[in-house]
Each structure stands twice: as C-alpha cells, then as structure tokens.
Amino acid sequence: MTVTDRIALDPFGSDIPAESARLRALGPLVPVELPGGIPAWAPTGYDVLRELILDPRVSKDPRRHWRLWPEIGEHPSWGWVLGWVGVVNMLSAYGSDHTRLRRLVAPSFTHRRTEAMLPRVAAITGELLDAVAAAGAGGSVVDLRAELAHPLPMRMICELFGVPDELRDDTGELIAAIMDTSDPTPEHAAFVQERIGTVLGALIAYKATHPGDDMTTELIRVRDEDGDRLGEEELLYTLLLVIGAGFETTVNLIGNAVVALLSRPAQLAAVRAGAVGWDAVVDETLRVHPSIAALPLRFAVTDLKVADVVVPAGDAIITTYAAAGLDPAHYGSDADVFDAARGAGDHLSFGLGVHRCIGAPLARAEALAALPALFDRFPGLRLAVAAEELRQVPSFIAFGWQRIPVRLGP
C-alpha cells in the first residue's frame, strides 16, 4: 500500500485488538490517519516498535522534527493533539531538554520513595474496599472503576503532588478530556487547553501560598530559583504529564486486570491458589490490555528505513503498545489470549530506554496492593454484566473500561 491509502484509526478505540490485527495484516509499518486527519505511521509489531523507540533518530519534539508542525494552525481538527505534542514537558522533549526535565521529576519516583509510600497505598486501599463493601451491600451493583480503580491512584498522585481536595475532581476531569479522542472539533481542543491553564494554574497558585512536602512545591522552587532549569510553561505542562500519567494509566491497569480475571475463572482460581503470582497477572495485563494503547507522537529526524519501509524525515509515528503486545511473531499464535501464567515480562507497555515511564514502579505497587486485597476481601466477586457488554473509554490512546459493574457475592 502507499501513503495515499492511509487507514483511518477508530477515534473511539472500540475494538483495539481487532484494529491492531487488521493493520498487522497490511505490513510492519502502516500509514494511518489519526482523528481529525493527522497523517502518521503505525508500527504493527513488537520488533519494529522496539527498534523505533530505541532509535536516536526518532524524536518527540514536534517543533524541531515534525514537518507539519508549522501547518497545525491551518487544520482546526488537529487541535486535539496539542494536549500531547503542543506541550513542553518530557513527553515532547528530545535530547538534552528531555534529560533536564526528567532529572527534575525523577526524585519523586525512586525505588526508595515508592517503598516509603506502600503503607499509604495499603491504607487507602483498605478505606476504599470498606466503601465498596458498603456500596455493594444487599447485592447492589458496584462500579469498581469509580469506587476503587480510579480513586486509589488519584488519591496517591494527588498526595504526591499536593493537589488539594477541592481541585481533585477538576484534575480527573481534565485528564479524561485529554484522553478522549472521539471529538476532534476545535471547540473540544479549545476547552482542553483552557482547562489545562485553569486547573493546573490554580494548583500552582495554591501551592505557591501553601507549600508542603510535595512535588509541586519542589518544582515551583526550582522555577523560582533557576528558570533555566524549569520555565513557567514547562512547570505547567510537567505537572500535566506526571499527574495525568501517574493516575490514568493505573486506573486502567487495575480495571483491566479485574475484568481479565473475572472473565477467566480458571485463571483466577490459579492465582488465588498461589499457582500464579500477582506480578505475572500485572505483566500479562500490561501485555494484552496495556493502559495506553497508542501514544502520539514521535517524529523521524532523518529518512528511516525500518522493515523495508522508508519513513521520510519529518513524518509522525505513533507508539503502538497494544499492537506490540498482541504480536504473534513475538508472543506466539495465541498472543491475543490472556494467560496469566505466561510470565511475559518483556512487554513494552511502560516504554523503553530514556522515555520509559518514570512512574512505572508506583503503578505496579498500587496494582499489587489493590488486586490481592480486592479478591481476598470479596471471594465471590463477579461481573454484573457479560464481559461483551463492557464499553471501552472513547479513545484510541487509553485502553480501559468506562464502567466495571460488579456484584460482591456472598
């Protein structure tokens, strides 16, 4: 196929595994069209994606390396992508700029800091499970996403960054709006940009007058003492990245693991019996149902020849974690089957190399606290609807469920 035969990705992400399979049948690197008509390339397998992630000739800086960046204002329907590439943070930085910004955030996500947070993770999990028990009393249906999968990582990341209670709902709604790729209209893009400034601007203003032992206070201090290390715009969008990535991905990790196990009673029984560990459950969830299915955008710094396909310099590339995890060439003919005993810890779902997710240890820690505690507390837990009735969040980026209705059982 030629670049004139671009495949339009489903902006609702209605069936990401099936879409990944269709693209894979067309080749290792396929020209696609993102919501609003943005042209890009989609790697369809594990090896190609890994090669591109690690290639220093692939950038995440649109201002320097995206050929179409100067034209973005001429395409109102492309405005949604500004929340991803129009920001100035680690996600859109390249080379020394990326190193500088990552070093500012890294101290909050060290192994020691994550270990120190484990008692708090356990305490919040216990509180939330008490609320789940109350909500499900008498056989009532409980939305496990709303009652556990969402509030646990939200509370943890808000404590880490000092987000006050009055801003938590607004922060969650902002991240959900950015993840929603079903509406490429200029109005939605303008709404998101306005909310970024309003919500996170309010957080910065609050912490400037109410400093504490939190990452927002530390970043404000860096900005005030050395603007060369962190500018005003970088502060705003660094908070957007780390707060958003710090909870949205964990929401989906917990929710996807719950649905996968409840849909497979034999595997759940093996996990409960100790034949399969919770670490393996987390890894298999990240492989088959990665919290982020595809991430925009990376850019070819020079002409790239990958798997006999030439990506011209300046073209955009999406990072297709879902397609990589389901690649039969890497994981075998049953790659699309969830098997917690598989033990495939080589998935790419947290990224790789210099752009590996800095919050991955915290996300794992939260999932490894919530999942066993949930199933120990409610051994009769079951889905309240057929798995086929669950609906994916409206996004080709996020990979998770809008609601997870369950009954707690006897």
Side-chain angles (χ1 to χ4, degrees), residues 289-312:
H289 305 293
S291 301
I292 298 296
L295 194 63
L297 288 167
R298 296 174 187 246
F299 313 98
V301 176
T302 65
D303 288 354
L304 298 175
K305 186 174 183 180
V306 182
D308 293 326
V309 177
V310 176
V311 178

Side-chain angles (χ1 to χ4, degrees), residues 47-223:
D47 290 339
V48 171
L49 179 60
R50 188 179 190 280
E51 180 180 344
L52 287 168
I53 289 176
L54 295 176
D55 194 326
R57 298 170 301 167
V58 177
S59 167
K60 299 187 82 173
D61 188 338
R63 292 165 179 82
R64 294 168 61 186
H65 301 121
W66 189 15
R67 176 173 46 81
L68 299 179
W69 176 253
E71 303 175 19
I72 197 165
E74 302 171 18
H75 302 274
S77 61
W78 294 10
W80 67 270
V81 85
L82 290 175
W84 296 94
V85 303
V87 297
V88 184
N89 57 30
M90 289 184 294
L91 194 64
S92 61
Y94 179 69
S96 59
D97 285 335
H98 172 263
T99 301
R100 170 177 56 85
L101 292 170
R102 189 177 178 96
R103 283 176 177 167
L104 292 175
V105 179
S108 286
F109 294 97
T110 61
H111 177 74
R112 180 180 297 179
R113 186 73 178 261
T114 299
E115 288 288 315
M117 296 173 71
L118 293 182
R120 187 64 184 141
V121 173
I124 293 175
T125 298
E127 292 175 20
L128 294 172
L129 291 179
D130 288 342
V132 168
S140 297
V141 174
V142 180
D143 178 4
L144 211 58
R145 185 185 196 277
E147 299 295 335
L148 176 66
H150 188 281
L152 171 60
M154 170 58 91
R155 286 178 62 176
M156 287 306 305
I157 203 70
C158 285
E159 289 188 11
L160 184 60
F161 282 84
V163 179
D165 291 346
E166 58 267 28
L167 286 178
R168 289 187 180 181
D169 287 347
D170 286 343
T171 301
E173 291 168 4
L174 167 62
I175 303 305
I178 292 174
M179 291 287 179
D180 185 348
T181 58
S182 65
D183 183 0
T185 63
E187 292 77 15
H188 179 73
F191 167 77
V192 170
Q193 290 300 310
E194 184 274 330
R195 293 303 288 164
I196 291 173
T198 300
V199 175
L200 297 180
L203 170 60
I204 293 169
Y206 177 84
K207 296 309 299 182
T209 56
H210 300 80
D213 182 18
D214 57 73
M215 194 58 194
T216 304
T217 297
E218 174 60 19
L219 290 175
I220 291 172
R221 183 194 64 76
V222 173
R223 176 203 62 181

